[in-house]
Amino acid sequence: MVGEVNKLIYNALLRHGAVAIPGVGTIFVERTAACYGSHNRVVAPCYSLNFSTTREAVSLIDIISSEASVDIEQSQDIFERWLEKVRTSHGIEICGVGTINHKSFVADEALLAALNIGGGEQINITKKRKSRRGLVLGLMISLVAVAVSLYNNMEKLASNEHIQDVVEIIPDDTFEEQGSEQYVVEDTTEPVTEPIIDVVEPISDWRDNNDIRHWVVVGSYSTQENAERAISDLEKRYSDMLFTYFKLGSMYAVSPFGSADKADCEMFISEYKDSFPQVWVYTPKQYK
């Protein structure tokens, strides 16, 4: 069991770049950009592993639940038994991934090698010198092209000067005055119709339903504040969705959808699985 969970962490780091271990912290991949070396060489970008106690990422409990196809209670039980096994007197030792010692992290060399296939290599760059004559010639060609373009635009404007807006002129003698009598022209103007405005009905709020039996879960967080912060971020990215969170064991699960029919949740997952790679359906025991 310990080895399988270790492999889940290993794969999550390669696929997603980070994994959160509840109550411990987050291991994440850090990228060092390419840079110039000596003697006209460029050092390719490389990747390292770092550790943070505040950074947010996909929870290991969610990963276990999704990959092992178990509910959140079973996943949390597996996580707690795994954590007890990997704890040492100095910290946490994850075989194949690295060692967490207080707030420091030492990565496994094999994982670093897997992250940096071809990374850190130096590439030679040959700089071609451009002659002063070629530079001057290129500048002259550019100036000529700009002049030709301006001339063409001016000719187009000149050829269009005869085009004017056609304005209907209404004579001022609509009312003819003869002595004290006035001849009134009958108003045949069509009545002005009000524009038709489409009324968009508001999105129905699934959270108001009282018969929800299944919830789609996109992440779980150790504190209520973290769950609310995650929802605030998700609402900015997905304005067409309505999010909520609920207590799930010792965690707070964030959900974008819930229904009395599990098939509705599975349809939702099918539609948004690219946006939420770790999405899964939570069903309480009493509704299974």
Side-chain angles (χ1 to χ4, degrees):
M1 182 268 293
V2 173
E4 284 74 10
V5 176
N6 292 347
K7 289 178 183 177
L8 290 179
I9 299 174
Y10 181 96
N11 292 333
L13 289 170
L14 292 179
R15 291 177 186 172
H16 309 296
V19 58
I21 303 174
V24 178
T26 298
I27 304 172
F28 62 96
V29 178
E30 209 166 33
R31 180 180 184 274
T32 301
C35 61
Y36 279 104
S38 57
H39 306 294
N40 293 333
R41 290 183 175 183
V42 172
V43 180
C46 63
Y47 298 87
S48 59
L49 288 169
N50 210 332
F51 178 77
S52 171
T53 56
T54 58
R55 188 176 181 131
E56 295 291 342
V58 178
S59 169
L60 179 56
I61 294 176
D62 286 344
I63 295 174
I64 295 171
S65 177
S66 176
E67 296 296 328
S69 299
V70 297
D71 60 30
I72 198 68
E73 288 88 354
Q74 291 174 299
S75 176
Q76 187 162 352
D77 179 64
I78 293 171
F79 165 74
E80 289 174 354
R81 287 189 286 121
W82 168 83
L83 188 60
E84 185 179 353
K85 295 286 185 181
V86 297
R87 282 194 185 277
T88 66
S89 58
H90 301 289
I92 296 174
E93 187 173 345
I94 308 171
C95 185
V97 177
T99 303
I100 301 172
N101 186 1
H102 298 295
K103 293 186 179 181
S104 64
F105 178 75
V106 179
D108 187 277
E109 292 296 331
L111 178 54
L112 288 176
L115 287 169
N116 290 282
I117 297 176
E121 295 181 355
Q122 294 192 7
I123 303 171
N124 291 326
I125 295 179
T126 302
K127 294 184 178 179
K128 295 183 179 180
R129 295 183 178 179
K130 296 183 179 179
S131 65
R132 185 181 183 86
R133 180 180 300 174
L135 181 62
V136 173
L137 180 61
L139 181 59
M140 291 178 64
I141 293 172
S142 298
L143 290 173
V144 171
V146 171
V148 171
S149 177
L150 289 173
Y151 176 78
N152 290 336
N153 288 338
M154 291 177 66
E155 287 222 325
K156 287 181 181 178
L157 289 173
S159 64
N160 290 334
E161 284 180 353
H162 67 281
I163 300 175
Q164 298 179 356
D165 292 334
V166 179
V167 180
E168 181 182 2
I169 301 175
I170 303 175
D172 294 333
D173 57 353
T174 302
F175 296 93
E176 288 189 12
E177 194 172 306
Q178 295 182 357
S180 61
E181 294 183 342
Q182 291 183 344
Y183 295 88
V184 181
V185 178
E186 183 180 357
D187 186 8
T188 59
T189 307
E190 293 291 333
V192 178
T193 57
E194 294 292 332
I196 299 174
I197 302 174
D198 294 331
V199 178
V200 180
E201 295 184 359
I203 301 173
S204 59
D205 194 336
W206 65 270
R207 298 169 297 185
D208 294 335
N209 297 333
N210 297 322
D211 59 345
I212 297 177
R213 300 291 182 269
H214 311 275
W215 283 264
V216 174
V217 177
V218 297
S220 58
Y221 301 86
S222 56
T223 66
Q224 182 177 345
E225 290 75 15
N226 289 345
E228 291 174 347
R229 191 181 301 115
I231 288 176
S232 177
D233 179 61
L234 288 168
E235 286 176 341
K236 294 175 183 176
R237 289 186 288 163
Y238 305 99
S239 58
D240 59 332
M241 295 187 193
L242 300 170
F243 293 88
T244 188
Y245 66 89
F246 57 91
K247 197 76 166 62
L248 194 56
S250 62
M251 309 290 287
Y252 292 87
V254 172
S255 174
F257 181 72
S259 175
D261 190 349
K262 189 175 182 180
D264 294 339
C265 295
E266 292 171 347
M267 187 179 299
F268 181 94
I269 289 176
S270 177
E271 185 176 352
Y272 294 101
K273 61 183 178 182
D274 292 336
S275 300
F276 307 106
Q278 298 296 330
V279 66
W280 59 286
V281 178
Y282 167 68
T283 303
K285 292 181 180 179
Q286 65 267 31
Y287 300 133
K288 291 183 178 179

